[in-house]
Amino acid sequence: MLTRIDHIGIACFDLDKTVEFYRATYGFEVFHSEVNEEQGVREAMLKINETSDGGASYLQLLEPTREDSAVGKWLAKNGEGVHHIAFGTADVDGASDAIRNKGVRVLYDEPRTGSMGSRITFLHPKDCHGVLTELVTAAPPAATDH
Ligand code: MC0
């Protein structure tokens, strides 16, 4: 059902400085960047490796675009660091239903738009041992315009 770590979301105060840290320290380059107004983030995706399910794993660096966004609130409380993990699936709708049926709160009734045209939802961290968990179905390759 869940076939890869799609990404690890890292909250930061200054996206450009954080991108430069990952480039200078590890040699990771930006694969894609965008602003997601619905989620209130400016983000950069650093591709780490391709995965056996045909997808890939990324680091996702996240700077809030507004203080009252999920990342803005989290940063004010916790400072910079790992904000969430995301698992990849070919079927975010089916995975959401299956996980909801196990008693875990799925935060969206219907998946929303995530990075690179993906479809995403989140599981409540209080139901996942303190880890905000995202489910991701990547856009079909032809629809990905990075
Ligand atoms: C909040 N909590 C967390 C957490 N955020 N625990 C672990 N990891 C996190 N990231 C905890 C708080 O410490 C608090 O615990 C409790 O959850 C309630 O938090 P709150 O500060 O009162 O905030 P709420 O309840 O208003 O919102 C929390 C919730 C929200 C998880 C529902 O952040 C949310 O809807 N997140 C999903 C959307 C999101 O995170 N988007 C940003 C990434 P205590 O013990 O103090 O009560 S967007 C993204 O990643 C997209 C672009 C993509 O991947 O493509």
Side-chain angles (χ1 to χ4, degrees):
M1 181 171 75
L2 307 178
T3 54
R4 66 179 178 278
I5 294 176
D6 185 89
H7 63 265
I8 298 170
I10 298 171
C12 61
F13 291 113
D14 185 321
L15 185 64
D16 298 335
K17 282 186 184 165
T18 309
V19 162
E20 177 55 20
F21 170 82
Y22 278 89
R23 190 200 64 73
T25 309
Y26 309 118
F28 296 142
E29 302 286 350
V30 175
F31 179 77
H32 170 86
S33 59
E34 70 180 76
V35 173
N36 185 323
E37 290 293 1
E38 182 180 35
Q39 294 291 339
V41 293
R42 191 162 81 92
E43 62 170 76
M45 298 293 272
L46 315 181
K47 191 174 189 176
I48 307 303
N49 61 280
E50 299 190 346
T51 54
S52 59
D53 61 358
S57 295
Y58 303 86
L59 291 182
Q60 181 186 59
L61 306 180
L62 298 161
E63 178 192 287
T65 58
R66 48 179 197 271
E67 288 180 5
D68 66 349
S69 64
V71 173
K73 285 172 61 178
W74 191 86
L75 266 174
K77 185 174 172 184
N78 302 285
E80 295 184 314
V82 175
H83 178 260
H84 66 269
I85 62 168
F87 295 121
T89 172
D91 177 15
V92 66
D93 300 277
S96 297
D97 289 346
I99 291 170
R100 187 184 288 110
N101 286 339
K102 294 178 193 287
V104 173
R105 280 171 287 173
V106 177
L107 295 180
Y108 303 150
D109 291 338
E110 296 292 333
R112 298 182 184 176
T113 301
S115 188
M116 297 183 283
S118 58
R119 297 178 70 239
I120 63 170
T121 196
F122 289 89
L123 312 179
H124 201 289
K126 293 295 181 190
D127 296 348
C128 302
H129 296 267
V131 179
L132 177 60
T133 303
E134 180 180 344
L135 308 178
V136 181
T137 294
T144 304
D145 180 16
H146 67 83

